[in-house]
Amino acid sequence: MSDREALAATLDGWRSRWPEWQIAETFIAETARDVAVAWFMLLGELAEAAWGGSDPTPGLAKLGWWQEELRGWSKGLRRHPLGLALQKQPVEWSAFADSLGVLRDRDQAHADESAAATALQPFLAAIAAVERQLFGDAARDSDPLQLLRTLKVSIGSPLAAGRLQRGGPRPRRLFDALAMARANAVRKGDAIVLSRWRTLVLAWRAARGR
């Protein structure tokens, strides 16, 4: 399998878990679509390593591996297929790798959201910085608490009711809208995958910053 085929298979795996994205991504420039999926998939990998499972040992090892991988990206090296989409982007990958250190405190997975957002501020701020570098500046910055909530939704963590804080570049606003709609659907006992019409309305509003 070629590098390009490996990347396509990896991204297809994420898209199969988020079928709504096929509609939402029509509001993103075609040249940025694989980059957006690769980025959200990377964040999901990091969130799963930090907060997934009952045994912290594999997750800590995985976080260490990703720190090494991201520092390699800053030097033009890559091992993971996601690097084919992300490594050459104008991003300070070494700085992002440094921010992962705060994820090693697994207690944040069960902490009050506001307290967790404060403790994880270096990581959440680094996410916002990378997204500005990947997708451009936005009228409103990403909300740290919203970033944390979306990360938890992406790995299937249940959330209490909460208002959606719209901010960040367009791909971020789109993904946040879908993730929080999924969280609300789960809480109400509805189908986790949103209908095509519901997805279209949410994506249109998110694209416009509403």
Side-chain angles (χ1 to χ4, degrees), residues 11-12 112 148 154 156 163 184:
L11 299 185
D12 284 347
D112 170 81
L148 176 60
S154 73
R163 188 164 60 86
N184 290 332

Side-chain angles (χ1 to χ4, degrees), residues 87-111:
Q87 183 259 320
K88 292 184 179 179
Q89 299 299 319
V91 170
E92 297 177 8
W93 291 118
S94 184
F96 183 63
D98 292 342
S99 77
L100 304 190
V102 296
L103 293 177
R104 293 182 173 277
D105 183 0
R106 286 177 61 93
D107 289 342
Q108 301 306 328
H110 310 290

Side-chain angles (χ1 to χ4, degrees), residues 27-160:
F27 294 94
I28 301 173
E30 188 172 357
T31 55
R33 291 176 188 174
D34 280 358
V35 172
V37 172
W39 171 244
F40 293 134
M41 189 170 185
L42 171 60
L43 292 180
E45 290 277 330
L46 298 176
E48 182 64 35
W51 305 315
S54 57
D55 182 359
T57 305
L60 291 175
K62 192 172 184 180
L63 284 175
W65 187 92
W66 271 114
Q67 282 186 304
E68 182 181 347
E69 175 73 358
L70 291 166
R71 289 181 180 126
W73 288 4
S74 68
K75 301 174 183 177
L77 307 173
R78 60 175 172 80
R79 292 172 293 179
H80 198 281
L82 292 179
L84 188 61
L86 295 174
Q87 183 259 320
K88 292 184 179 179
Q89 299 299 319
V91 170
E92 297 177 8
W93 291 118
S94 184
F96 183 63
D98 292 342
S99 77
L100 304 190
V102 296
L103 293 177
R104 293 182 173 277
D105 183 0
R106 286 177 61 93
D107 289 342
Q108 301 306 328
H110 310 290
D112 170 81
E113 284 187 339
S114 295
T118 298
L120 296 172
Q121 191 276 335
F123 176 58
L124 300 176
I127 291 175
V130 170
E131 292 183 351
R132 286 193 296 271
Q133 293 163 349
L134 287 175
F135 309 119
D137 291 335
R140 290 176 53 192
D141 290 337
S142 299
D143 179 73
L145 183 56
Q146 179 64 51
L147 288 174
L148 176 60
R149 291 171 66 83
T150 302
L151 283 169
K152 289 191 173 183
V153 172
S154 73
I155 61 171
S157 296
L159 292 179

Side-chain angles (χ1 to χ4, degrees), residues 159-191:
L159 292 179
R163 188 164 60 86
L164 174 63
Q165 302 291 330
R166 297 197 186 279
R170 181 174 289 185
R172 165 55 57 191
R173 299 196 307 271
L174 290 167
F175 187 56
D176 283 355
L178 296 183
M180 297 310 294
R182 274 194 173 196
N184 290 332
V186 170
R187 190 169 55 253
K188 295 176 182 177
D190 297 337

